[in-house]
Amino acid sequence: MPEMANPPAFDPSAGQGPRLPHRGPGLARRKLGALAAATVALTAASVAGPLTGVGEAGGHIDAPSSLLDSATDITDVYAFTSPEDTGTVTLIANVRPFQLPGTAANALVDHPFATGARYEIHTDADGDGAPDATYRWTFRNEDRRPFGTGPKVGPLPVNSLDDRSLGVRQKYTLEKVTADGTVTTLLRDAVAAPTHTGRTLMPNYGKLRTQAIRNLPGGGRTVATQAAESFKADTQVFGLFVAGTSGPVPGWLPDAQPLSALNVNSLVLQVPKSEVALAGDARRNPVVGVWSSVSRQGADLGQSLAGQAPAYRQVSRNGTPHVAFAVHGSTVGLAKPGGPEDRFQARAPKDDHLDADFLAATLDPVPPKRIERAQGRKAPATPRRDIQALLMKGIGKSNGSLFGFDLNTHAMNADADPSRIVLAEQLRLNLTTPVTAAPKAHGVLDGDLQGFPNGRRLNDNIDGPLIRMLAGEPAGPSARELLPDPVVRLEPADAQGAFPYLNLPHAGP
């Protein structure tokens, strides 16, 4: 299949992403007194989540069950053609949110990957909702301290992953599992980059992360590391999902993104496109679905424990960002334990089409109705087959999507069996979409076909495009007026242009 250099056009001028307005010095002075207090208030609201008293911050906790196990909480999944090596695809899963910057004073604070868990990134090449390739990381701790006691780091600075002052290291095994269950070990006892404990004890964390990058047999590379939070969020927009309004005072508050000062754990994988494309042919079969999951080790209590092999139960799942926001209009304080959000976390994509409640919710999402009640902007007519296509089919010319062209639906894969393609929530990526020289934060809606929802790059904005599509774009009128221009944006720094792309973790002295 040829690259989509000239897909059918649509009018991106129907709506533009948020822009920082020009404000004269007089207006700035009048607002200066309120700015500091507003920053504190909005940051607190962002971390607490709209209308909740629970830490949530932009969908980083997607279900009540995520509160119980931070180490397995998947915050974000990214999938994009590697800009510096376009024959490869980069897949990233971020986990364990809300990590405070490390310093020598809090060097005992540690944010490891969970042991006894499987961290997995899955790809679906034929559209049946089941993984055709799974990349699986499992971690163990290597305790090199005398008698296994004392601080994990120090007292001397750590200048190498082999330094004895790094008393506890995390090592991992990386396996590739194919659709028929064949397991191939790609790496064994690879060392993860540690939690950054501050510049006194880790004066050159970049060197440590570089040492942690490992090449893979057959091409590609990976790293398991702590990283600066990469999520680009518009905190003023969160209220549109859960309350229908972007308050409390649109245009007067800063977009005080609290995640911009925090860290996460990241699994970064770069592999040849032939490793994930159907039949190994990305041109003939350009579309893959991507999601991540974490499973915890346990046992089947319905059977005798004698002789049972270890079993794993999925406890977390993430593909398209903010599914709970977009469909249910929910966040932790508004979601009931054991409800649809928790069921989604435990379910495989191949079973999404069997959940009647989830299917109904994709056809009748909650946020547009809340916006109509709060602001009088009429919600698009239901059933919302465009939203169901966005989440469960991809962008196609005749599958309910409103974009009017084929971009990332599995039906584009020449070798896929149409009878086996099912409705399944995944982050879908067209591997042949050319890398753009001028990326736009709102991606496909603003004419940048390489951006979200055609995969997801690290610098893509998510909440704005989701609200715009929920409000009826691109076929309906512009929903730009719903997105307030903040006084100032306090966002994570843009990602780097080369592997592993993520910025180094925040750290103090």
Side-chain angles (χ1 to χ4, degrees):
M1 176 169 288
E3 292 191 355
M4 298 189 60
N6 296 292
F10 72 106
D11 182 10
S13 64
Q16 297 293 332
R19 294 178 179 174
L20 188 65
H22 174 74
R23 301 179 185 272
L27 181 58
R29 283 194 298 270
R30 291 195 299 273
K31 293 185 176 181
L32 186 59
L35 183 56
T39 300
V40 174
L42 185 58
T43 301
S46 300
V47 173
L51 307 182
T52 79
V54 181
E56 184 274 326
H60 270 44
I61 297 176
D62 293 312
S65 58
S66 301
L67 285 169
L68 305 177
D69 193 357
S70 175
T72 66
D73 181 13
I74 308 169
T75 67
D76 292 286
V77 172
Y78 301 89
F80 53 90
T81 291
S82 311
E84 83 284 25
D85 186 359
T86 56
T88 67
V89 60
T90 296
L91 310 174
I92 299 175
N94 285 350
V95 300
R96 194 160 196 160
F98 312 129
Q99 300 174 22
L100 295 174
T103 67
N106 68 353
L108 296 179
V109 176
D110 193 22
H111 303 288
F113 292 92
T115 57
R118 288 174 170 173
Y119 293 86
E120 297 177 321
I121 296 178
H122 312 273
T123 61
D124 173 14
D126 58 7
D128 64 356
D132 294 298
T134 291
Y135 293 89
R136 175 187 296 160
W137 290 258
T138 53
F139 290 84
R140 69 177 182 87
N141 294 328
E142 181 190 42
D143 195 336
R144 306 187 297 170
R145 299 171 296 178
F147 309 108
T149 61
K152 293 183 178 181
V153 180
L156 298 177
V158 178
N159 294 301
S160 166
L161 295 179
D162 293 325
D163 282 358
R164 299 301 298 187
S165 50
L166 184 57
V168 178
R169 301 190 299 185
Q170 281 211 301
K171 290 188 171 182
Y172 65 90
T173 296
L174 174 60
E175 300 168 312
K176 182 179 180 181
V177 186
T178 55
D180 63 2
T182 301
V183 180
T184 302
T185 299
L186 303 178
L187 294 174
R188 191 183 301 275
D189 282 340
V191 180
T195 297
H196 198 331
T197 52
R199 293 187 295 273
T200 299
L201 289 174
M202 294 183 180
N204 190 347
Y205 190 89
K207 179 181 177 182
L208 300 179
R209 186 171 77 171
T210 298
Q211 291 175 0
I213 297 173
R214 296 291 301 272
N215 292 326
L216 301 178
R221 47 191 167 172
T222 189
V223 65
T225 181
Q226 190 185 43
E229 172 64 73
S230 54
F231 180 69
K232 298 280 190 177
D234 186 343
T235 54
Q236 292 197 95
V237 175
F238 294 160
L240 291 168
F241 292 102
V242 299
T245 183
S246 56
V249 189
W252 279 74
L253 292 179
D255 184 13
Q257 223 275 53
L259 302 177
S260 62
L262 302 177
N263 299 322
V264 294
N265 287 352
S266 298
L267 299 170
V268 188
L269 176 74
Q270 188 178 86
V271 294
K273 291 178 177 179
S274 59
E275 289 290 308
V276 298
L278 184 60
D281 189 340
R283 287 191 168 274
R284 183 173 170 81
N285 303 294
V287 177
V288 293
V290 180
W291 72 99
S292 180
S293 68
V294 183
S295 300
R296 279 285 196 182
Q297 194 169 356
D300 184 355
L301 299 181
Q303 304 178 22
S304 170
L305 297 180
Q308 274 197 41
Y312 286 85
R313 179 176 60 88
Q314 181 175 304
V315 297
S316 185
R317 168 187 167 190
N318 194 299
T320 305
H322 284 185
V323 170
F325 266 164
V327 173
H328 305 294
S330 65
T331 186
V332 173
L334 301 177
K336 296 180 180 180
E341 298 86 356
D342 278 343
R343 294 198 301 272
F344 178 86
Q345 293 289 307
R347 189 173 62 235
K350 66 181 180 64
D351 296 324
D352 285 341
H353 72 286
L354 303 176
D355 189 317
D357 291 340
F358 183 65
L359 290 180
T362 63
L363 294 172
D364 190 16
V366 171
K369 292 181 287 187
R370 288 181 175 160
I371 292 171
E372 181 174 357
R373 286 195 299 268
Q375 303 192 44
R377 190 183 200 280
K378 188 170 179 58
T382 58
R384 295 296 303 277
R385 302 199 183 280
D386 58 322
I387 298 302
Q388 187 174 86
L390 169 70
L391 300 175
M392 306 186 74
K393 297 180 182 180
I395 294 175
K397 188 173 183 178
S398 57
N399 70 348
S401 172
L402 299 178
F403 284 89
F405 55 83
D406 289 322
L407 181 60
N408 62 356
T409 173
H410 279 99
M412 297 171 62
N413 290 349
D415 296 323
D417 181 351
S419 68
R420 297 185 60 203
I421 297 176
V422 300
L423 293 171
E425 189 283 310
Q426 301 171 355
L427 182 64
R428 289 171 173 82
L429 172 67
N430 186 320
L431 298 169
T432 63
T433 305
V435 174
T436 180
K440 297 180 180 179
H442 280 217
V444 177
L445 271 181
D446 283 353
D448 176 4
L449 298 183
Q450 196 210 354
F452 177 78
N454 184 18
R456 181 185 179 189
R457 301 165 300 193
L458 288 162
N459 293 333
D460 284 344
N461 184 288
I462 299 305
D463 299 305
L466 277 176
I467 284 293
R468 290 170 60 183
M469 287 183 280
L470 286 165
E473 288 194 50
S478 170
R480 172 64 185 84
E481 78 279 0
L482 293 174
L483 308 178
D485 284 316
V487 173
V488 65
R489 286 189 175 92
L490 306 176
E491 288 279 358
D494 283 349
Q496 300 171 23
F499 187 90
Y501 309 105
L502 299 164
N503 289 307
L504 297 176
H506 301 287

